[in-house]
Amino acid sequence: MSVSDTIVRWRYRAVPDHLLGEILTKNWIDNAIPLLFLAAVVVAFGSVIPDFYSASNVAILLRQWGEFSLLVLGLTIVMVAGGIDLSVGSTFALGNIVALALLNVAGWPLPAVIVATLAAGAAVGLVNGLLVGYLRLRAFLTTLVTLIIVRAVVDMLLLKYSVKIAGAFVDSDAWYFLGEGSILGIPFSVVVAIVVAVTLHLVLSRTRLGWHVLAVGGSRRSAHNVGIPVRRVICATYVVSGTLAALAGLLFASRLGGAGADTGLGLEIAALTAAVVGGNSLGGGRGSAAKAIIGSVTVLLMVNSLVRLGVPSGANSLLLGLVLLAAVAIDVRWLKNRHKVLSKVYVSPTYAALPAAPPTDGDSPYAVNDRLRSVELIGLGDIDGPEDVILDADDNLYAGNRTGDIVRFLAPDYTEHEVYAHVGGRPLGMAIARDGSLLCCIGGMGLYRVAQDRSIEKLTDETNRSWFSVVDDSRLKLADDLDITADGRIFFSEATVRYEMHEWPVDCLESRGNGRIICFDPAAGTTRTVLRNLVFPNGICMAHDGQSFMFAETWACRVSRYYYDGPKKGTVEPVIPDLPGYPDNINRASDGTYWLAIVGMRTPSLDLALGMPGFRKRMARRIAPDEWLYANINTGCIVRFDESGRIIETLWDLGGENHPMITSMREHKGYLYIGGITNNRIGRLKLNDADPSWTGPKSYWGRT
């Protein structure tokens, strides 16, 4: 290896280029800009305002924030559902005057006052919800009219009751506790806001109702088409918003004990600014309680700091307007361009130079031939994409197809077939368990079992999460092959944790260690990852020693051996480090050796590009995906090798005329059955020197 190649190799080992793309996929990345803006506000005003960080100032701000954040949280719920509520300021003022009038003038008991105040806010929200949700009026205009009407009602109530309210005295410690009390040193209003925020977070992220709100905000038509009651959901969000606005007004009334014509004036603009500054989208379908909290803290600090600096109220409103305009612009541009940015940085090729490919001519053990030209075809046109094939103890042949079925071809002539089980996802690697059930890796779903009565059971679809992984890699994306130990443990490969099944060319372009091997222990009911950072692991076969298994790494063009038991437990040994093509499934042969499917042959152009990660990155950014350099998966062969890695024989169909693509093969009673994920057939080849009584179930479980 040259010095330049060594430098490039270590540079890509030391710098995890893929982290930036993985960070940008996280939902919390939307909070990065709001958090940075909040930090800038704190630093800027903290440096120019004396006692900005003092305990007294923080205590005052906290009580104000508890009330203000309730408005923002209510408005956020409406925005997530794709609406807007401009009446929150007037509803806040209504809650304030209703609470004071009922308590100071009517003399109602405090519990009744609280219920009536919240009911008044909910009534305003219900009116908005009926008009916007059920009558489909424009949310902006509707809530603007509601703002005007409710403000008029508040003004009339002020004219009638303001003097009586001002002259009354409430002798209730519980009332004053609402506005001035604390729990464990935390203002009561802050406790209420935190409880509401946590509840909102759990509802949006963990409940069906929250998913309905997000779905309605994302696309009302699509939500309606899947059966979500769109009108009811929209109406409910406005009721919640009105209730929270009235609750904020109640807390404000308890803290200050007075009402005026300017109460709540302009709060709708401040709340809207806070919601958008926090990262909640005006377009709906994207928002959270955390974003509302960040935005409310930012706007409250700005407004109060400007007042302390003596800035005129007009300038204060001007600044809020400019901040709102900037936040909307950022929201729109980020929402529009996020996927463009992500597409440019997510694909992160690494240095993956391969050993020199062995020749396939002359005296090479890989020398091409036509031994597969005479393969007998089974199910021609009746099967679509049999990635793996397997036979049971009764000689029946099973294969998965592209439409989510496991098809069974009936022995002895395999001319009749039936859908054995419909598993829904893409069936890939299969194995026969000791009890005769069929175990199957299903792409995008995990590891499943089909019992002999054809019932389908999920065994596992997740594993332990990596300690230092940015993305949550506990869920299985592409489980693709498996095998079973004598004690029932199931080892299976997951080809990649970064891409879906149809995106395998992108994983090839990266040739990064995105794959892993996982162990499911049915006795303990546990799933754990045993090997990480593998280059598209795709093929597992238990060795005959009962302590290890062979596994293939497709894009690394190698076969290795992992010891799961015995004195070498936990170690990996190379078996074939330099294949001429891309290995796939591995299975046992009757003479103690192993069959290996080669899904495609290496090409000089891609081999060269694998040592040039910068070139592959530029190709991914500048060229359409259908013009990228791809691994050749159209011409394959079958290799038989022993445990030392010695190549015993190869079987080719030169030119791919009869069986053009090979991903798996199974030996059974003197025949070799062949599958291919892009084929419309299953091949069968007579093996002249094979044991005519040998079967897979007999090799594993000691029976025919």
Side-chain angles (χ1 to χ4, degrees):
M1 182 182 295
S2 67
V3 174
S4 61
D5 285 345
T6 302
I7 294 174
V8 172
R9 177 185 179 187
W10 283 103
R11 172 260 186 261
Y12 280 91
R13 281 192 176 184
V15 180
D17 301 73
H18 64 290
L19 288 184
L20 177 59
E22 291 182 349
I23 290 173
L24 289 177
T25 63
K26 302 296 290 183
N27 291 331
W28 51 256
I29 195 63
D30 288 343
N31 296 336
I33 295 177
L35 280 172
L36 290 175
F37 186 61
L38 173 59
V41 168
V42 171
V43 172
F45 288 114
S47 62
V48 298
I49 297 177
D51 301 326
F52 182 82
Y53 302 106
S54 65
S56 59
N57 185 53
V58 171
I60 294 172
L61 288 175
L62 279 176
R63 294 191 186 278
Q64 296 176 3
W65 174 80
E67 301 157 6
F68 180 62
S69 63
L70 291 173
L71 287 175
V72 181
L73 288 167
L75 182 57
T76 296
I77 297 173
V78 175
M79 290 173 59
V80 170
I84 193 169
D85 188 359
L86 298 179
S87 66
V88 291
S90 296
T91 308
F92 173 89
L94 179 66
N96 177 72
I97 188 64
V98 167
L100 291 173
L102 293 178
L103 190 70
N104 292 2
V105 180
W108 285 24
L110 182 58
V113 170
I114 295 175
V115 172
T117 303
L118 297 182
V124 175
L126 181 60
V127 171
N128 286 330
L130 292 174
L131 294 175
V132 176
Y134 285 91
L135 298 184
R136 299 184 181 181
L137 301 184
R138 298 281 186 179
F140 183 89
L141 293 177
T142 301
T143 56
L144 179 61
V145 172
T146 310
L147 176 154
I148 297 171
I149 294 174
V150 174
R151 176 61 62 179
V153 172
V154 170
D155 289 341
M156 289 188 291
L157 292 174
L158 281 171
L159 286 174
K160 187 172 183 179
Y161 297 112
S162 59
V163 176
K164 295 180 180 180
I165 291 173
F169 175 76
V170 179
D171 186 15
S172 173
D173 292 337
W175 169 250
Y176 294 114
F177 179 81
L178 296 180
E180 300 176 0
S182 300
I183 298 177
L184 300 177
I186 303 174
F188 179 75
S189 61
V190 175
V191 174
V192 172
I194 292 174
V195 170
V196 171
V198 171
T199 303
L200 175 59
H201 169 73
L202 294 176
V203 168
L204 289 179
S205 61
R206 298 291 188 273
T207 69
R208 180 174 297 180
L209 175 61
W211 300 333
H212 286 181
V213 172
L214 290 166
V216 169
S219 173
R220 293 186 180 182
R221 182 180 297 275
S222 298
H224 172 76
N225 290 340
V226 299
I228 295 175
V230 174
R231 297 179 180 182
R232 189 192 313 165
V233 170
I234 294 173
C235 184
T237 61
Y238 281 99
V239 172
V240 172
S241 177
T243 303
L244 291 180
L247 176 59
L250 173 72
L251 296 174
F252 180 81
S254 174
R255 180 166 63 90
L256 296 183
D262 60 344
T263 301
L265 199 62
L267 267 182
E268 58 277 342
I269 301 302
L272 179 60
T273 303
V276 177
V277 165
N280 296 295
S281 176
L282 282 171
R286 185 166 58 90
S288 68
K291 291 179 171 66
I293 296 301
I294 294 171
S296 62
V297 172
T298 303
V299 170
L300 184 69
L301 287 177
M302 289 176 54
V303 172
N304 280 268
S305 299
L306 291 173
V307 171
R308 292 187 63 182
L309 290 173
V311 176
S313 59
N316 199 328
S317 300
L318 174 63
L319 180 61
L320 276 182
L322 293 175
V323 170
L324 177 60
L325 180 63
V328 170
I330 292 173
D331 174 65
V332 172
R333 299 304 298 176
W334 171 245
L335 188 64
K336 182 178 180 180
N337 295 299
R338 177 180 182 177
H339 291 291
K340 293 181 180 179
V341 174
L342 187 60
S343 65
K344 292 183 179 297
V345 300
Y346 190 80
V347 179
S348 305
T350 190
Y351 182 86
L354 299 175
T360 57
D361 56 4
D363 296 331
S364 170
Y366 299 104
V368 296
N369 53 60
D370 288 325
R371 294 184 59 186
L372 295 180
R373 186 63 56 84
S374 59
V375 164
E376 175 190 353
L377 302 183
I378 298 174
L380 180 63
D382 295 327
I383 188 77
D384 183 10
E387 194 273 344
D388 194 13
V389 294
I390 196 167
L391 295 99
D392 62 18
D394 297 323
D395 302 337
N396 296 310
L397 174 64
Y398 300 81
N401 68 14
R402 202 176 306 279
T403 58
D405 298 325
I406 296 178
V407 180
R408 178 166 67 176
F409 291 85
L410 302 178
D413 54 9
Y414 306 115
T415 56
E416 297 183 17
H417 66 276
E418 63 180 351
V419 174
Y420 182 69
H422 179 71
V423 295
R426 184 66 168 89
L428 298 173
M430 296 183 288
I432 300 291
R434 185 185 293 273
D435 63 359
S437 60
L438 182 66
L439 305 184
C440 183
C441 286
I442 304 178
M445 294 174 60
L447 180 64
Y448 281 71
R449 172 169 52 204
V450 182
Q452 288 187 301
D453 62 1
R454 305 194 186 190
S455 61
I456 302 172
E457 176 190 3
K458 180 184 72 176
L459 298 181
T460 183
D461 62 356
E462 61 183 359
T463 183
N464 56 302
R465 179 173 179 174
S466 304
W467 281 100
F468 301 104
S469 175
V470 173
V471 298
D472 185 358
D473 61 354
S474 60
R475 302 290 294 185
L476 301 180
K477 279 195 172 183
L478 187 49
D480 56 0
D481 196 31
L482 74 153
D483 210 351
I484 313 172
T485 65
D487 61 5
R489 284 176 290 172
I490 303 168
F491 287 87
F492 62 97
S493 57
E494 184 179 23
T496 175
V497 298
R498 280 170 59 83
Y499 298 101
E500 303 295 339
M501 181 175 175
H502 65 279
E503 297 174 311
W504 65 263
V506 190
D507 193 88
C508 176
L509 185 72
E510 279 197 355
S511 289
R512 182 181 296 278
N514 296 328
R516 55 189 175 179
I517 291 177
I518 301 165
C519 175
F520 171 70
D521 187 346
T526 59
T527 307
R528 61 184 180 87
T529 301
V530 297
L531 282 176
R532 303 183 188 274
N533 304 320
L534 302 179
V535 186
F536 211 84
N538 190 9
I540 288 183
C541 180
M542 291 298 151
H544 298 281
D545 62 0
Q547 298 179 347
S548 62
F549 58 77
M550 307 289 178
F551 67 93
E553 292 177 86
T554 301
W555 312 136
C557 300
R558 64 186 175 220
V559 174
S560 303
R561 185 174 189 170
Y562 174 76
Y563 290 86
Y564 58 85
D565 275 332
K568 294 184 178 181
K569 182 178 179 179
T571 61
V572 177
E573 293 180 351
V575 178
I576 310 176
D578 56 351
L579 286 164
Y582 305 106
D584 206 298
N585 287 359
I586 309 173
N587 287 301
R588 290 180 178 180
S590 58
D591 62 353
T593 59
Y594 303 90
W595 295 105
L596 169 66
I598 302 293
V599 71
M601 303 309 295
R602 291 163 57 177
T603 58
S605 57
L606 185 57
D607 280 5
L608 179 63
L610 289 176
M612 305 167 63
F615 164 77
R616 303 201 317 277
K617 182 179 293 186
R618 291 190 296 273
M619 179 175 64
R621 291 180 178 180
R622 300 176 185 178
I623 299 177
D626 59 355
E627 297 181 0
W628 289 354
L629 282 175
Y630 282 138
N632 167 32
I633 61 168
N634 295 322
T635 302
C637 73
I638 297 173
V639 173
R640 187 161 65 92
F641 67 96
D642 62 19
E643 293 191 356
S644 68
R646 181 174 62 93
I647 305 302
I648 299 172
E649 63 176 327
T650 56
L651 292 76
W652 291 79
D653 177 13
L654 186 60
E657 296 181 10
N658 194 36
H659 209 277
M661 193 263 197
I662 300 170
T663 53
S664 66
M665 70 277 105
R666 300 274 182 172
E667 183 178 338
H668 185 86
K669 291 187 176 181
Y671 287 90
L672 194 64
Y673 295 81
I674 308 167
I677 197 170
T678 62
N679 289 344
N680 65 345
R681 71 202 77 181
I682 297 172
R684 182 167 73 165
L685 178 69
K686 175 67 175 176
L687 301 173
N688 296 324
D689 299 327
D691 182 352
S693 65
W694 187 92
T695 69
K698 180 179 179 181
S699 174
Y700 278 83
W701 314 119
R703 64 176 187 272
T704 58

